[in-house]
Amino acid sequence: MNTSIYKRLIQYKDLFAILIWRELLIRYKQTTIGVLWAILQPLSMMLLFVLVFGMVLQIETGKCPKPLFYFSGLVPWTFLSASVASSIRALTDHRELITKIYFPRELIIFSKIAVFFADFLISIILLFIMIYFYHIKFSYNTLWIIPLSFILIINTATISLLLGTLNVYYRDVKLASEFLLRFWFFGTPVFYSVDTISIKYKILLFLNPLTFIIENFRRVLIQDRTIILWQFGFAMTVSIIFFIIVYKVFTELERSFADVI
Amino acid sequence: MLSDYAIQFDHVRKKFSKSQNQFGTLRDDIVTLFRRKRSQDLLHKNEFFALKDVSFEIKHGACIGLYGPNGSGKSTLLKLIANVISPTSGSIEINGQIAPLIELGAGFHPDLNGFENIYMNGAILGMTIGEIKKKMDQIIEYSGLQDFIATPVKKYSSGMKLRLGFSVAIHSEADIFLFDEILAVGDEEFKEKSFNSIKNILKNNKTLIVVSHDLDNLSQFVDNIIYLKKGIIQN
């Protein structure tokens, strides 16, 4: 499977690079502060969370400093939700291209994800700076962030491909997406911790791949704990299997996109 | 080259649906999913064949005119060659990189300037970043848009967009060029320039397919004409 994805995409690597470059260009055109937005956006969100959930609603975050707690949840959530939201419309927005010329259609979606991944990396750097200022020690556990981010990317790609494709056939997806993402947000431990949830809801929460990722982001970064290996292995395996299935279906369906889009 | 032919169509048929939605409901879709194999040759309500049993071959280096009234299936044929849609039945073989110029500048983004859009369009036509860089000056000069290359394309006139799109395409490394009615646009000077470029392309053993309603104009420079009517090739 891996080699076939590689073979399929390698001859389009220049197009992929230019699509990413184009996404970045478009994003900061006609802005005055440009790339500074990549820093301002996540920080302002975190401040809002501290204000609303920390100070007004006073939701329990345990021993963890509130800004760190919210930010470590917001960073993965923002990457996934922003990627999915823009991927849903990505294919239909490129109708002009899709009906004129062939290239692997997933490049459109992957280039969107790549740009949000750049944001994600900037946010991770901000997160590390905050951790440093809170005098929390870095250890080998911190390195778990890399495989955890990998699971995050795989899941983001799977959901983006799936919903982007569905939207080609049924525009209902675009209309439902706002509700869907908001619902998903409440089902993700961004502003609360799963430890405060009763056991019967906890199991439901772990059906959400983001629950595992965010909880472990906090474990390895803030609490200096290691991950639970069998859980990690399970999450990784399930994520990869889903990705392969969805990608396979995508490559089958993409041949008929121009007929329906 | 692997084959003498740039393009081979073998008993190609293409079915389209007239209704706005290609699907009914989710339930209908699931039902047809299981019936697909059997229903290939059957026409459901609102369906029609845009191409009925089309077979032809085009050799490398040939210049072919595609002529026919509206609705005869010309655009469908071009889309099949461009590999954008798949035939309902029959087979298509293409040897070489294709540069479709069906509506020039389809890949332009309005907020990006001419320079940035050259990169985008070039990459879509299969050029590498290195090739685009190398040919950038040529592309800009050919388009005659030196003074506007840093202007967002949304401020371009349709003639300017056409010139830029044509210029990128003409400099691409493609083997097969598809032109849809574009020769009728642009002023006299640019038209002459593009005719010369097309002759140049042909000299380099590239294949050209030109679509037109104008038979006189077409027969001036093509080797052969495919006359389509109601989805069937006429002789």
Side-chain angles (χ1 to χ4, degrees):
Chain A
M1 183 67 197
N2 275 331
T3 54
S4 71
I5 294 177
Y6 180 77
K7 255 188 223 154
R8 184 181 155 83
L9 297 181
I10 188 66
Q11 51 174 325
Y12 291 96
K13 64 181 194 314
D14 286 54
L15 177 60
F16 187 42
I18 282 181
L19 278 170
I20 296 171
W21 173 71
R22 187 190 71 150
E23 286 298 320
L24 283 170
L25 279 175
I26 295 166
R27 168 183 282 184
Y28 297 117
K29 282 268 152 150
Q30 285 200 10
T31 62
T32 44
I33 59 167
V35 192
L36 266 182
W37 277 115
I39 298 170
L40 265 181
Q41 275 177 323
L43 285 184
S44 54
M45 266 311 243
M46 178 203 63
L47 288 177
L48 186 71
F49 270 57
V50 172
L51 194 73
V52 174
F53 297 113
M55 294 166 115
V56 179
L57 296 175
Q58 301 196 328
I59 289 173
E60 190 53 52
T61 61
K63 270 185 279 175
C64 182
K66 283 191 163 66
L68 264 187
F69 180 87
Y70 296 128
F71 201 53
S72 54
L74 266 172
V75 171
W77 164 254
T78 308
F79 169 63
L80 185 134
S81 63
S83 303
V84 169
S86 77
S87 295
I88 286 175
R89 338 171 31 130
L91 294 171
T92 48
D93 282 354
H94 286 83
R95 190 177 177 280
E96 281 285 297
L97 271 185
I98 288 176
T99 54
K100 300 288 176 331
I101 191 159
Y102 180 74
F103 56 90
R105 308 316 189 187
E106 64 268 33
L107 288 183
I108 298 175
I109 285 175
F110 288 170
S111 65
K112 297 259 178 207
I113 296 175
V115 172
F116 288 109
F117 185 68
D119 285 348
F120 174 77
L121 289 180
I122 292 172
S123 297
I124 290 283
I125 294 170
L126 291 174
L127 183 60
F128 278 139
I129 294 172
M130 278 170 63
I131 290 171
Y132 177 78
F133 275 110
Y134 276 99
H135 303 293
I136 292 167
K137 277 194 199 107
F138 294 102
S139 70
Y140 284 120
N141 284 334
T142 314
L143 288 175
W144 276 110
I145 192 111
I146 295 164
L148 285 171
S149 299
F150 179 74
I151 298 184
L152 178 66
I153 295 170
I154 292 280
N155 277 292
T156 304
T158 308
I159 297 156
S160 299
L161 283 175
L162 184 70
L163 294 183
T165 307
L166 271 176
N167 193 49
V168 170
Y169 296 88
Y170 313 97
R171 300 293 143 86
D172 312 55
V173 178
K174 190 168 71 195
L175 298 169
S177 63
E178 206 166 319
F179 168 76
L180 212 99
L181 282 169
R182 214 146 289 184
F183 178 75
W184 195 356
F185 171 75
F186 288 113
T188 305
V190 179
F191 63 91
Y192 55 87
S193 163
V194 273
D195 299 338
T196 59
I197 307 289
S198 74
I199 187 75
K200 63 178 177 189
Y201 293 117
K202 225 182 215 171
I203 294 163
L204 270 177
L205 273 181
F206 273 99
L207 288 175
N208 173 2
L210 265 177
T211 305
F212 172 80
I213 294 164
I214 289 179
E215 283 293 311
N216 280 287
F217 255 60
R218 289 181 179 141
R219 277 176 77 105
V220 301
L221 288 180
I222 304 168
Q223 299 159 351
D224 193 16
R225 288 154 74 191
T226 184
I227 54 147
I228 298 163
L229 263 180
W230 72 264
Q231 281 185 356
F232 175 79
F234 180 74
M236 183 72 105
T237 313
V238 172
S239 301
I240 289 176
I241 289 173
F242 269 111
F243 175 74
I244 289 174
I245 293 171
V246 167
Y247 195 72
K248 200 92 196 146
V249 172
F250 182 89
T251 52
E252 288 294 315
L253 286 177
E254 97 167 335
R255 308 296 313 156
S256 64
F257 279 177
D259 285 332
V260 266
I261 204 163
Chain B
M1 286 286 162
L2 288 167
S3 159
D4 282 351
Y5 296 109
I7 301 165
Q8 278 175 293
F9 270 53
D10 186 25
H11 299 288
V12 169
R13 309 208 296 167
K14 179 65 189 174
K15 190 162 71 177
F16 276 125
S17 168
K18 268 183 267 189
S19 63
Q20 194 204 349
N21 295 334
Q22 288 256 331
F23 49 87
T25 61
L26 196 55
R27 200 191 64 190
D28 286 350
D29 268 11
I30 292 166
V31 172
T32 39
L33 196 68
F34 290 108
R35 283 203 202 138
R36 188 178 291 165
K37 284 278 176 299
R38 276 194 293 143
S39 68
Q40 221 170 47
D41 295 333
L42 289 172
L43 281 184
H44 290 283
K45 207 177 120 197
N46 278 332
E47 284 183 340
F48 68 101
F49 278 106
L51 290 179
K52 303 164 192 159
D53 200 26
V54 170
S55 302
F56 63 86
E57 279 118 21
I58 296 174
K59 277 190 175 156
H60 285 292
C63 180
I64 301 293
L66 195 55
Y67 170 76
N70 279 329
S72 56
K74 299 189 298 292
S75 296
T76 307
L77 196 72
L78 280 196
K79 282 185 179 177
L80 283 166
I81 296 173
N83 194 17
V84 163
I85 54 177
S86 313
T88 308
S89 64
S91 70
I92 297 171
E93 204 173 308
I94 308 284
N95 294 302
Q97 169 77 36
I98 302 167
L101 295 141
I102 316 163
E103 284 168 44
L104 280 166
F108 286 162
H109 193 285
D111 285 335
L112 300 182
N113 64 34
F115 178 80
E116 290 154 355
N117 269 308
I118 290 175
Y119 270 102
M120 184 62 208
N121 230 344
I124 288 176
L125 293 178
M127 292 166 86
T128 66
I129 295 171
E131 281 166 4
I132 302 171
K133 253 187 206 150
K134 218 165 61 190
K135 291 188 172 170
M136 183 53 85
D137 292 340
Q138 270 173 277
I139 293 173
I140 296 172
E141 203 198 306
Y142 187 93
S143 70
L145 292 167
Q146 291 92 332
D147 296 341
F148 300 95
I149 210 64
T151 309
V153 164
K154 63 184 169 191
K155 292 184 180 166
Y156 279 25
S157 69
S158 49
M160 288 159 85
K161 274 187 230 169
L162 169 99
R163 266 146 61 196
L164 191 64
F166 189 82
S167 181
V168 178
I170 223 87
H171 289 92
S172 77
E173 305 276 316
D175 308 301
I176 303 165
F177 290 82
L178 310 176
F179 294 85
D180 193 359
E181 293 286 354
I182 52 129
L183 299 173
V185 220
D187 60 15
E188 284 303 319
E189 196 195 327
F190 194 76
K191 217 188 267 185
E192 205 184 300
K193 206 165 159 184
S194 48
F195 265 108
N196 288 332
S197 309
I198 286 171
K199 278 182 202 148
N200 251 327
I201 292 177
L202 288 170
K203 265 186 217 154
N204 293 327
N205 201 33
K206 310 257 178 169
T207 311
L208 220 79
I209 296 169
V210 187
V211 176
S212 184
H213 292 298
D214 189 350
L215 197 57
D216 294 336
N217 193 340
L218 209 56
S219 45
Q220 271 175 30
F221 63 95
V222 299
D223 310 329
N224 225 326
I225 287 180
I226 296 175
Y227 178 27
L228 264 181
K229 198 177 175 187
K230 289 182 177 163
I232 300 165
I233 292 183
Q234 317 281 313
N235 287 317

